[in-house]
C-alpha cells in the first residue's frame, strides 16, 4: 500500500499554532480497515510526517519514504 493506492478518507488544511502557512492533513484507511494512516505535510517544502494509527497494522508494517512514492507501507 502506498499514497497512491490507499483509500483517502479526509483531507484538510490546518493552521498549527503560530503558523503562517497551512499544513495539509490527510487520513487514509489502513490495510486492515480498523484504523488510519495519518499524513501531514507543508506545501512547498519536502517536509512530511506519516504515522500508522492502528496497533495491528503498526505491529505488522513500517512506513518507508522516498521509495518511488511519497510513502509506502512495507511488512516488517
Amino acid at each position: 500500500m502506498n499514497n497512491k493506492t490507499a483509500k483517502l478518507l479526509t483531507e484538510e488544511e490546518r493552521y498549527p499554532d503560530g503558523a503562517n502557512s497551512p499544513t495539509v492533513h490527510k487520513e487514509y484507511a489502513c490495510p486492515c480497515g480498523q484504523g488510519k494512516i495519518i499524513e501531514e505535510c507543508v506545501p512547498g517544502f519536502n517536509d512530511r510526517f506519516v504515522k500508522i494509527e492502528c496497533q495491528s497494522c503498526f505491529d505488522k508494517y513500517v512506513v518507508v519514504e522516498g521509495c518511488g512514492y511519497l510513502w509506502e507501507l512495507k511488512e516488517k
Side-chain angles (χ1 to χ4, degrees), residues 5-51:
T5 61
K7 180 182 178 187
L8 182 64
L9 301 173
T10 63
E11 179 177 354
E12 64 183 4
E13 289 186 350
R14 295 183 176 179
Y15 285 84
D17 291 337
N20 293 330
S21 61
T23 298
V24 177
H25 178 90
K26 296 180 183 180
E27 295 182 2
Y28 298 89
C30 68
C32 75
Q34 297 178 6
K36 299 176 187 172
I37 300 168
I38 306 297
E39 175 186 4
E40 293 190 353
C41 64
V42 179
F45 296 91
N46 193 15
D47 188 17
R48 180 171 321 284
F49 176 73
V50 182
K51 67 179 176 177

Side-chain angles (χ1 to χ4, degrees), residues 1 28-32 34-39 49-64 71-76:
M1 172 183 278
Y28 298 89
C30 68
C32 75
Q34 297 178 6
K36 299 176 187 172
I37 300 168
I38 306 297
E39 175 186 4
F49 176 73
V50 182
K51 67 179 176 177
I52 301 170
E53 286 192 346
C54 172
Q55 191 60 48
S56 174
C57 291
F58 181 79
D59 293 340
K60 189 174 181 180
Y61 299 100
V62 63
V63 176
V64 178
W71 58 266
E72 185 173 14
L73 297 184
K74 296 279 189 178
E75 288 193 38
K76 289 184 178 180

